[in-house]
Amino acid sequence: MPSTMGSKARVDPSRAGTAREHEAGERTSTPAVHDDTDTGAPAGTDDVRRLLDRTGARHPDPALDRWLADVDAGDEAAETLLRRMYADMVVSRRLDAEATALQRQGELALWPPLLGQEAAQVGSARALRDDDFVFSSYREHAVAMIRGVRPEQVTPVWRGVAASGWNPYDVGMATPQVIIGAQALHAVGYAFGILCDAERDPGRVPDGGTAATVAYVGDGAMSQGDVSEALLFAATWSTPTVFVCQNNQWAISEPVSLQAPVPLAERGTGFGVPGVRVDGNDVLAVLAVTREALHRARTGGGPTLIEAVTYRMGPHTTADDPTRYRSTEEVESWRRRDPIERYAAWLRARGTLTDAVEQEVRETADRTAAELRAGCLALTDPPASRIFEHVYAEPHAALAAERDAYADYLATLGDEAPAEAEGGAR
Amino acid sequence: MTTTMTLAKALGAGLRRAMTDDPSVMVLGEDIGRLGGVYRVTDGLQAEFGPRRVVDTPLAESGILGTAIGLAYRGYRPVVEIQFDGFVYVAFDQIVSQLAKMRARTLGAVTLPVTIRIPVAGGIGAAEHHSESPEAYFAHTAGLRVVSVATPQDAATVLRQAVACDDPVVFFEPKRRYHVKGEVDPDVDLATADPMSAARVAAHGDDVTLVTWGSQVATALDAAVAASDEGVGVEVIDLRSLSPIDHDAVAASVRRTGRLVVVHEGPRQAGLGAEAAATITERCFEFLEAAPVRVTGHDVPYPPAKLEGHQVPDLDRILDGVDRALGRVALPARAQRTEVGA
């Protein structure tokens, strides 16, 4: 069968600056060099799989197109899916802007913006089934939204009122992981569990194959030992796992050239994990390669590493100042490759995106942003006793005694410290 | 039914019983399948339960812990073997930042009943990184339970309790005691057995309370016998649980004896001896006849095999500690000054 996997990505000296060059300040190339002459690929990223160029023109690629038969069917279901992915991208960008504003207004302590990565997240997440399980990092807000996380469940973590905002089992997605790359191993272990379940009870495996897990990691995470170990364990056990590496070019201030002298998609090869390098700003191509990888995973083909080449348009987090380490020209060159504009141009040309649809999506986005804001502002500070909850599953007399002693102490403060009242000790 | 078996065999019997009781129990580690583990604790388990329940893993401890967390996320109950104490540190993030905190992070939604078996302590003439006592690192981490067994019967019973516990448990096995034999019933009713969080009085005495665990329990019992020859009654308490610590049991004893000696192999600085001594001083200050005494490993990297006799507390050092608790000065004054710069 035609395959998009295992394509030989070349080592491109224009983007593969060595760490030594970087440290010496002789960086002659940024991780993705600006190039406006081609169909939309930054120089050095022209080996990516792509269906939509930055003008919104669709280019045939039989190996990818075969995974988009439903998208290209021309029926109402196809139109619905295409509009849904457009809405996903617009709404998630709007949510992201609202959360960034909330941080600037002092309502959130921190926010890691996804701006620019909408296609990489929407295209991959829309390929998933309900019984799949996602282990993400902390920037996958669009993935969370698609998995069913409600706007008001996103902000508690970033406002600092709770350690997480949703139950992972309700939506098939773990809560944000802050330790870089640690979640990749959880995805492999969970997938090994899926495999063991399937072997124990083959009759319960759905028609399309087993469930799968997706590990979302970034270009920085690829340097962590845990990610290498995850690739190895996944290959050894042939687990149904898809690694989606959003290569957004920057790990805070460190360019991807510092993490990867060769394209990240090749990182899995030595472990036995095939890789594919896709234009992460092309939602159709991301959808196609993720569907193929998931199909392999579900049917015993083992793990795949997808490198979605994209760009973090905003700061690492709201605490970051990217002007200290990258040029306006670089950012502008990527703005011209905007994932939403490209997709919208294609949708408009084929008649899927009308003014009316656009207006409707905009209203949905505003409404969802309002829900996010309202949910955030409605959050109250938890009581002091909250810190002692859920530390252990089973009774723990020593911790209970510690909790009681602290409550007694707070009580001695009288009105100065409303220990158990909303507002809590601060 | 009771059978005579070694501590290592008792661990295997406990694991076998846990796997039989609960099909979600899986065992993962290096060399645990075909070989049965370097100490043969898992001997025969893969043949009995198959390679999908007794899983040989790649040589990557963080990978073992991280995938065990994923399996537990999925609903399995993994028992992980770390081959030697000194190998656990590469898995430290997965244990401390992931396993220990996941329940609190998810507000109780995710339960991770992972048991981490670790052969611990020295005295076997081993190479570097094979003789360490890292209990304090884990006892310092909220969300973990830490236990350490000393007898074959506890090896079987407490391991089953650890596996059945819904919290992550770090389970220390005294490797130089693996071959000690005892009467073991691997099928005791867990509902009526003492909880694993409870300390055990290993020997009764009225003059000094001697607190220890794991590999040092046997040496402490020897010390109690030697002391009794001199008319000194030493009460030996095997803590068993290092997090939480059963301070109530220790306090009850110290209120009677008025004297406390804590013995452990790990280094003294920020060790569990400090925790025990401080807590008992807080709770039993007015009952103490003397300052608590610690007999511990030195604050040095674990030494080469020919020198480890100076690192691991032995009978004489424990008896010296008992003497000091009784106010019988046995050493020249310089040797008793433990203050920095003294």
Side-chain angles (χ1 to χ4, degrees), chain A residues 171-239:
Chain A
V171 294
M173 178 168 174
T175 53
Q177 174 61 253
V178 174
I179 300 292
I180 299 298
Q183 75 278 12
L185 284 165
H186 307 164
V188 175
Y190 191 102
F192 188 44
I194 291 173
L195 210 57
C196 294
D197 288 349
E199 287 176 3
R200 289 179 184 201
D201 196 354
R204 292 186 63 182
V205 175
D207 286 343
T210 67
T213 61
V214 179
Y216 282 91
V217 295
D219 43 298
M222 295 298 286
S223 299
Q224 290 284 353
D226 275 1
V227 174
S228 282
E229 293 186 23
L231 289 166
L232 173 67
F233 277 65
T236 298
W237 290 337
S238 197
T239 63

Side-chain angles (χ1 to χ4, degrees), chain A residues 282-295:
Chain A
D282 173 357
V283 71
L284 286 185
V286 174
L287 178 67
V289 299
T290 312
R291 281 179 167 181
E292 180 177 4
L294 283 166
H295 175 75

Side-chain angles (χ1 to χ4, degrees), chain A residues 103-424:
Chain A
Q103 194 280 333
R104 297 306 186 214
Q105 292 157 5
E107 299 294 347
L108 294 181
L110 190 74
W111 180 254
L114 67 72
L115 185 64
Q117 300 178 220
E118 294 87 354
Q121 295 190 17
V122 170
S124 53
R126 275 293 168 208
L128 295 172
R129 284 193 332 217
D130 284 350
D131 60 342
D132 295 329
F133 212 99
V134 171
F135 291 87
S136 78
S137 179
Y138 45 75
R139 203 186 299 282
E140 283 69 41
H141 313 304
V143 177
M145 187 185 76
I146 289 170
R147 294 305 284 169
V149 173
R150 298 190 306 277
E152 70 271 20
Q153 294 176 307
V154 173
T155 48
V157 167
W158 306 106
R159 192 173 168 93
V161 299
S164 65
W166 66 82
N167 182 329
Y169 297 114
D170 289 346
V171 294
M173 178 168 174
T175 53
Q177 174 61 253
V178 174
I179 300 292
I180 299 298
Q183 75 278 12
L185 284 165
H186 307 164
V188 175
Y190 191 102
F192 188 44
I194 291 173
L195 210 57
C196 294
D197 288 349
E199 287 176 3
R200 289 179 184 201
D201 196 354
R204 292 186 63 182
V205 175
D207 286 343
T210 67
T213 61
V214 179
Y216 282 91
V217 295
D219 43 298
M222 295 298 286
S223 299
Q224 290 284 353
D226 275 1
V227 174
S228 282
E229 293 186 23
L231 289 166
L232 173 67
F233 277 65
T236 298
W237 290 337
S238 197
T239 63
T241 308
V242 177
F243 297 89
V244 176
C245 172
Q246 293 176 80
N247 172 4
N248 70 12
Q249 313 299 329
W250 292 96
I252 306 188
S253 72
E254 297 196 348
V256 67
S257 56
L258 200 60
Q259 325 290 343
V262 297
L264 288 164
E266 294 182 36
R267 186 67 60 88
T269 309
F271 295 110
V273 179
V276 55
R277 197 152 194 253
V278 65
D279 185 337
N281 285 5
D282 173 357
V283 71
L284 286 185
V286 174
L287 178 67
V289 299
T290 312
R291 281 179 167 181
E292 180 177 4
L294 283 166
H295 175 75
R296 282 166 48 84
R298 299 190 198 292
T299 54
T304 303
L305 169 61
I306 295 170
E307 178 191 1
V309 180
T310 181
Y311 195 79
R312 192 193 78 212
M313 294 298 293
H316 162 66
T317 68
T318 46
D320 179 35
D321 174 11
T323 65
R324 291 179 68 93
Y325 53 81
R326 65 187 192 186
S327 70
T328 309
E329 292 74 25
E330 179 183 307
V331 177
E332 286 309 310
S333 78
W334 280 93
R335 202 182 303 284
R336 289 191 287 276
R337 300 177 181 94
D338 186 83
I340 298 182
E341 281 181 20
R342 157 190 331 201
Y343 184 56
W346 179 67
L347 290 182
R348 266 188 222 104
R350 73 197 303 277
T352 305
L353 183 60
T354 61
D355 288 350
V357 171
E358 205 170 344
Q359 176 64 22
E360 192 185 319
V361 169
R362 201 177 301 124
E363 285 168 6
T364 303
D366 287 341
R367 198 169 55 246
T368 314
E371 286 170 25
L372 179 88
R373 173 170 290 270
C376 175
L377 299 182
L379 291 169
T380 52
D381 289 359
S385 59
R386 185 69 49 82
I387 64 175
F388 296 99
E389 293 173 7
H390 305 303
V391 180
Y392 292 95
E394 300 193 359
H396 195 292
L399 188 60
E402 221 172 299
R403 177 198 63 207
D404 294 346
Y406 190 61
D408 290 346
Y409 159 75
L410 290 177
T412 66
L413 302 182
D415 294 340
E416 290 169 33
E420 298 305 308
E422 295 300 320

